[in-house]
Amino acid sequence: MTDSLSPETLQQIQRLDLRARMIVRGFLQGLHSSPHQGFSVQFSDHRRYDPGDDPKRIDWLAYAKTDKYYVKRYEAETNLTGYLVLDLSKSMGFTHRQSMTKFEYATCLAASLAYLMTMQQDPVGLMTFAEKLNAVLPARSRRGQVADCLAALSRLTPDGQTDIATCVTQVAAMLKQHTLIMLFSDLLGSPESTIASLAQLRHAGHDVIVFHILDEAEVHFPYHGQIEFEDPETGETVSVDADAFRADYIDQIDDFRRQHEQACHQLRIDYVPLDTSMPFDKALTEYLQQRQSRF
């Protein structure tokens, strides 16, 4: 199944809705033969016990199976509003040797999660950001919402510089009810500012998933000799000896990802590190494993 859901294979399919359906179908087929097959029931009917919850609502059968405390959700809690929040800055348009840019990869993943949410009849909406936040599509669960969402995603093009911290802070201020925020970004900015804005989302009571999407070359640095790099957002250039610089770069990018991962863990935010060579079923499984490790 992995080969059929690779970015290279899906890039041959022009329509985003067909890509998303293939990803979701392959992912769900894989779950049927995996230890994660019960995830949809668990997350639809239960949530983690939080201090202040009535202990009478604890599901002791679930505790016996998992050694963790869950409470049964009220009917009003079972439909969770979700927002896809997509980084639209120019850096997301980068690719070195992969078939998909970071932005195309993020768009396919976001479209797949929109399908998954509508399958559970959860309202889903779309926001994008670069230097400013754009509320593209309000969250709804009506018939046709996923088609509207995919149509909006298909029209997007990455451009401009990014101000992720300010835009994420605006998301926290805009959304008043408990919401699932699914953030898709390369997080290329100040880690301290980004983490502070993510903390505001959590303090506002939102559930947050960060899909940290980097190009495969940004992770593994497959360059040799004298190379000139250009910042796609500012146009600034720097020339380096790639072979001499590789070890320092790998250390820095690993530290960059680790800093976000540790901060997200402390904030009880799901952090999913991805690169554009990763098959989409594996990407969704990484997300699921992150969710299950926290619940």
Side-chain angles (χ1 to χ4, degrees):
M1 188 60 65
T2 292
D3 289 343
S4 65
L5 297 181
S6 68
E8 291 80 6
T9 300
L10 289 168
Q11 185 72 344
Q12 300 172 27
I13 301 172
Q14 296 299 313
R15 286 175 49 183
L16 181 59
D17 61 331
L18 295 180
R19 290 181 184 179
R21 287 176 186 172
M22 282 188 64
I23 293 169
V24 171
R25 187 180 299 117
F27 173 62
L28 293 178
Q29 286 176 353
L31 282 180
H32 287 309
S33 58
S34 81
H36 307 297
Q37 59 182 317
F39 87 103
S40 60
V41 173
Q42 178 182 358
F43 292 115
S44 294
D45 300 332
H46 293 79
R47 65 172 171 80
R48 186 186 60 254
Y49 174 83
D50 288 323
D53 286 332
D54 186 348
K56 294 179 180 179
R57 294 177 59 197
I58 293 175
D59 186 331
W60 294 106
L61 182 59
Y63 173 78
K65 292 180 178 180
T66 64
D67 201 32
K68 295 180 181 179
Y69 294 109
Y70 298 94
V71 294
K72 290 185 177 180
R73 300 202 293 181
Y74 293 121
E75 185 175 349
E77 293 181 291
T78 57
N79 284 348
L80 178 64
T81 297
Y83 267 96
L84 310 166
V85 181
L86 190 63
D87 187 343
L88 204 59
S89 60
K90 194 170 183 178
S91 69
M92 291 290 288
F94 172 74
T95 185
H96 171 57
R97 60 187 182 187
Q98 294 299 315
S99 60
M100 284 188 178
T101 66
K102 291 183 284 186
F103 179 75
E104 290 170 328
Y105 191 96
T107 299
C108 283
L109 189 57
S112 303
L113 288 170
Y115 259 111
L116 284 172
M117 289 203 68
T118 54
M119 285 172 63
Q120 294 197 142
Q121 299 183 325
D122 289 328
V124 62
L126 173 65
M127 298 184 189
T128 65
F129 69 91
E131 290 184 275
K132 64 179 182 179
L133 180 69
N134 302 295
V136 178
L137 193 67
R140 297 190 179 95
S141 57
R142 63 175 176 79
R143 185 186 299 272
Q145 178 72 357
V146 69
D148 291 345
C149 189
L150 298 189
L153 285 169
S154 298
R155 291 192 295 266
L156 298 175
T157 303
D159 191 34
Q161 299 187 36
T162 186
D163 186 353
I164 182 172
T166 297
C167 293
V168 170
T169 298
Q170 291 174 348
V171 172
M174 285 178 57
L175 301 175
K176 303 305 180 184
Q177 68 182 69
H178 175 63
T179 304
L180 173 63
I181 306 296
M182 295 161 281
L183 176 67
F184 306 83
S185 176
D186 54 17
L187 302 181
L188 295 184
S190 164
E192 293 78 13
S193 298
T194 299
I195 291 165
S197 65
L198 291 171
Q200 291 188 47
L201 282 176
R202 287 294 293 135
H203 294 157
H206 302 300
D207 199 3
V208 184
I209 307 166
V210 175
F211 294 95
H212 190 183
I213 301 172
L214 295 176
D215 187 73
E216 175 264 350
E218 292 174 317
V219 176
H220 300 292
F221 203 76
Y223 302 101
H224 298 280
Q226 199 70 21
I227 299 289
E228 184 176 87
F229 295 101
E230 179 179 344
D231 186 317
E233 295 185 13
T234 66
E236 295 180 3
T237 61
V238 60
S239 182
V240 300
D241 181 342
D243 297 291
F245 183 59
R246 179 173 295 104
D248 285 342
Y249 173 85
I250 295 296
D251 286 343
Q252 290 181 39
I253 200 69
D254 287 347
D255 183 68
F256 179 68
R257 296 173 102 182
R258 191 180 306 112
Q259 188 173 356
H260 286 94
E261 181 179 17
Q262 291 174 349
C264 286
H265 178 74
Q266 292 174 355
L267 292 168
R268 299 182 67 80
I269 288 173
D270 292 313
Y271 174 81
V272 186
L274 302 170
D275 73 62
T276 52
S277 67
M278 185 178 291
F280 285 98
D281 55 340
K282 184 177 179 183
L284 289 173
T285 301
E286 287 288 321
Y287 151 69
L288 177 59
Q289 289 174 341
Q290 287 286 331
R291 296 293 285 172
Q292 287 197 327
S293 69
R294 201 158 64 80
F295 276 75

